[in-house]
Amino acid sequence: YHDGPRLRRERGEVRAWARDWAGAEADLRASIAMAPSADAHLLLGDLRRWRGDWEGARAQYAAAALLAPT
């Protein structure tokens, strides 16, 4: 068992779909802290957008674009 960035991102995705917003954000932030990835930033951006945090969503999308410009 390895609680690495990929597992945290995947668990964050599951929690987001279960509407556990706080848990999802905690997992995604932990994933990004361990190893920033465009996927984690995109999902965190979506989570913030779904919650009405437009500025936070834009910041996460910008961070994702820096990691994966295409």
Side-chain angles (χ1 to χ4, degrees):
Y1 174 76
H2 178 68
D3 189 21
R6 182 176 173 194
L7 177 63
R8 288 289 184 118
R9 182 189 52 78
E10 290 172 353
R11 190 169 68 182
E13 184 175 3
V14 170
R15 286 180 161 183
W17 287 114
R19 296 182 183 260
D20 175 6
W21 308 128
E25 183 159 348
D27 280 334
L28 293 168
R29 291 174 64 98
S31 173
I32 290 167
M34 289 179 209
S37 71
D39 288 342
H41 279 290
L42 283 172
L43 187 53
L44 187 53
D46 289 345
L47 178 66
R48 290 185 174 173
R49 181 174 48 89
W50 296 335
R51 295 168 71 189
D53 178 7
W54 305 110
E55 285 187 41
R58 278 191 291 273
Q60 293 305 314
Y61 294 148
L66 289 174
L67 292 171
T70 59

